[in-house]
Amino acid sequence: MPESGRATTTDDHIGPAPAASTRRAGLLVTLVLGGLTALPPLSMDMYLPALPEVTEALRSPAATIQLTLTACLAGMALGQLVVGPMSDKWGRRRPLLIGMIVYVLATAVCAFAPSAALLIGFRLLQGLAGAAGIVIARAIVRDLYDGVEMARFFSTLMLISGAAPIIAPLIGGQILRITDWRGVFHVLTAVGIVLTLVVWRFLHETLPPERRHAGGVGDALRTMRGLLADRVFTGYMLAGGLAFAVLFAYISASPFVVQEIYGASPQTFSLLFGLNSIGLVVVGQINGKLLVGRVSLDKVLGWGLGVILLAALALLLMTSGVFGEPGLVAVAAGLFVLMSAMGLAMPNTNAQALMRTPHAAGSASALLGTSSFLIGAVASPLVGIAGETTAVPMAVVQLVCATAALACFLLLCRPWRARAGQ
């Protein structure tokens, strides 16, 4: 495995970049990769405040307009499976630039869509193209870094991408104050154009030709099958996906739980949502700046998953009435602890999984991203299965997913055997 922290940045046209230049460009690369991973959440969440207006403008049922969100999410999940292997075959720059150009065009069409059907179709395309940013950003991190440096970089990336869900609805609400729902897509189109130009100008190729895969679809499928056959990689993938499902359950249920069951105002909900997101980002920075390099990644990951499980158990006991009526403060505290612990789990599952796959970082990144989205998409509808009078389903889904995540980590990754080799 290459030396930790050594970056080898090359470009098809300009040749190898000197190490000093790579270090000087570190902040810019961080911002670009952060922008790429933040763009899909922006695409989803900036649009949320406009849903009622879209329903009225396009004269469609609310359920139909909700499909514009489902289509975008499905595109992001499936697009990673396509773009990841493409980036292993053709390098990172070309698929990324193609994906960004398609994203810009699809988003521009959404801004002028005359019907719900057309909007749904191009939201699907927008998600498929936007997936390039997620999957290739992770693969680039794997190309540039190894070991603790990779874990630190993922934690830094979380600082940028973690802020996107916080500010996106606020930006969308402000856009709607001065224009209609189409203005949201105009802004996203402009953001996509800027990111595309920055990628084209400043982001060099990080996968040299000698490390690329020459095969086609069949070779890509064999590569993914080989990755899934790796017990340890699969353990980290499932642990990360199930932890992400805990996060999805929170996002899906928290507006209803906080506002409808515990009677908080929309402003209070926004404040609590923001505080929880800040907790996740801050703990992610503690992970990257203080823990990584001093404590083994597996140990930190185990702590994170353990805290998530305990917080989910506490939430289940509170919401089921074991401690009487806990009130909003106690439930909000449990959600804060649960969300903050994600900052220990999510960066380290990605780092540990990708550390095993220098030969196929794009395909590995695709499997990590797609599994997270799919597991989360399956888990999130279950939080409302018992109706609108209880928060118990949310806590049950979170506890089951957290328990399964810890079990996958312990049984498949077997961290106690890491020193002796798998």
Side-chain angles (χ1 to χ4, degrees):
M1 195 170 281
E3 184 181 341
S4 230
R6 293 291 296 273
T8 54
T9 313
T10 60
D11 185 274
D12 288 340
H13 303 290
I14 64 173
S21 298
T22 301
R23 285 193 292 270
R24 284 195 298 270
L27 177 59
L28 180 60
V29 170
T30 301
L31 291 175
V32 173
L33 296 183
L36 291 171
T37 55
L39 188 59
L42 285 174
S43 302
M44 290 288 294
D45 296 342
M46 277 178 63
Y47 177 64
L48 293 178
L51 284 178
E53 185 179 332
V54 177
T55 301
E56 183 179 349
L58 297 182
R59 295 183 175 87
S60 297
T64 300
I65 299 303
Q66 286 287 345
L67 290 176
T68 63
L69 297 176
T70 305
C72 189
L73 183 62
M76 290 178 193
L78 298 176
Q80 294 184 63
L81 287 178
V82 177
V83 177
M86 286 172 57
S87 74
D88 283 337
K89 180 179 180 180
W90 294 327
R92 312 303 184 204
R93 265 177 64 88
R94 196 185 311 172
L96 179 56
L97 285 170
I98 292 172
M100 291 303 300
I101 291 170
V102 174
Y103 173 88
V104 169
L105 295 175
T107 306
V109 173
C110 287
F112 297 98
S115 67
L118 193 64
L119 183 60
I120 291 169
F122 277 91
R123 283 284 279 175
L124 175 64
L125 183 60
Q126 184 192 41
L128 288 167
I134 305 174
V135 67
I136 293 180
R138 275 196 303 262
I140 288 174
V141 173
R142 182 61 188 92
D143 294 339
L144 295 177
Y145 300 101
D146 193 21
V148 297
E149 289 300 321
M150 181 166 55
R152 287 192 178 119
F153 197 95
F154 275 125
S155 294
T156 302
L157 213 57
M158 182 175 288
L159 179 63
I160 301 173
S161 60
I166 304 173
I167 63 173
L170 300 177
I171 296 173
Q174 294 305 309
I175 292 171
L176 293 176
R177 290 171 65 93
I178 59 176
T179 183
D180 62 4
W181 65 273
R182 299 182 188 274
V184 174
F185 289 107
H186 289 309
V187 172
L188 287 172
T189 300
V191 171
I193 290 172
V194 171
L195 263 178
T196 303
L197 292 175
V198 171
V199 167
W200 174 73
R201 177 66 180 83
F202 296 107
L203 195 62
H204 302 303
E205 179 58 66
T206 60
L207 186 68
E210 62 270 16
R211 290 175 52 197
R212 297 177 190 174
H213 291 209
V217 175
D219 183 68
L221 293 175
R222 284 189 292 272
T223 299
M224 288 187 175
R225 186 173 60 199
L227 291 171
L228 293 174
D230 180 347
R231 169 179 52 80
V232 180
F233 172 84
T234 300
Y236 287 124
M237 181 190 74
L238 291 176
L242 288 162
F244 200 63
V246 176
L247 177 64
F248 259 57
Y250 159 76
I251 292 173
S252 299
S254 60
F256 163 73
V257 170
V258 173
Q259 295 180 79
E260 298 297 327
I261 295 180
Y262 291 98
S265 66
Q267 291 74 26
T268 300
F269 166 71
S270 299
L271 176 63
L272 293 176
F273 190 89
L275 286 174
N276 290 339
S277 300
I278 291 170
L280 186 153
V281 170
V282 169
V283 173
Q285 293 311 293
I286 293 172
N287 173 68
K289 305 299 183 184
L290 298 180
L291 298 179
V292 171
R294 294 179 175 87
V295 184
S296 76
L297 298 183
D298 276 335
K299 186 175 290 187
V300 176
L301 175 56
W303 288 348
L305 293 174
V307 172
I308 292 170
L309 190 152
L310 291 175
L313 177 60
L315 284 168
L316 178 59
L317 294 175
M318 285 189 288
T319 57
S320 60
V322 172
F323 302 129
E325 292 296 330
L328 177 60
V329 173
V331 172
L335 289 172
F336 178 80
V337 173
L338 182 145
M339 282 292 292
S340 297
M342 292 289 175
L344 298 178
M346 292 169 63
N348 293 323
T349 51
N350 282 332
Q352 291 288 70
L354 289 172
M355 227 182 296
R356 298 183 63 84
T357 59
H359 58 291
S363 296
S365 178
L367 288 173
L368 290 172
T370 300
S371 63
S372 294
F373 274 101
L374 291 180
I375 295 173
V378 169
S380 59
L382 299 177
V383 299
I385 198 169
E388 302 180 356
T389 60
T390 175
V392 169
M394 176 193 74
V396 169
V397 170
Q398 290 175 328
L399 181 59
V400 169
C401 290
T403 304
L406 186 59
C408 288
F409 172 60
L410 294 176
L411 297 177
L412 297 178
C413 302
R414 301 176 188 176
W416 60 86
R417 298 178 57 184
R419 290 180 180 271
Q422 300 293 339

